Amino acid sequence: MKFRVTRDCDYVMGHLRYGHQEGIVEVESEEELRKLIENEDIYDYLDLIIDSYSVEDVCYGNNPVKYEVIK
């Protein structure tokens, strides 16, 4: 199964006001995806998405990881 996974930022330091993490994760089941999220291994699959300005620091805080099934 493929899942689109995202996570919002609390803030991005630099010349931006918004950013988030996003990636496509291919696993055998939704349960396997949940384990990746619980163990915080999901972040190896996610990219920080911002526009072309420079970034000095980023904080994700307690924002949850969200996902949807890709058919």
Side-chain angles (χ1 to χ4, degrees), residues 4-66:
R4 181 177 314 281
V5 181
T6 62
R7 183 180 187 204
D8 291 334
C9 296
D10 275 353
Y11 68 84
V12 176
M13 299 289 289
H15 303 285
L16 304 171
R17 299 214 184 264
Y18 178 76
H20 69 280
Q21 286 181 307
E22 183 177 306
I24 303 296
V25 180
E26 191 166 353
V27 291
E28 295 296 321
S29 66
E30 190 171 340
E31 180 180 339
E32 188 176 346
L33 178 66
R34 287 186 184 138
K35 286 181 183 177
L36 285 173
I37 294 169
E38 288 172 11
N39 296 333
E40 296 188 0
D41 294 329
I42 192 69
Y43 308 121
D44 294 336
Y45 297 89
L46 304 179
D47 295 316
L48 174 61
I49 306 299
I50 54 173
D51 62 21
S52 62
Y53 292 90
S54 65
V55 174
E56 298 168 13
D57 191 18
V58 63
C59 176
Y60 298 103
N62 294 322
N63 290 319
V65 173
K66 298 175 263 183

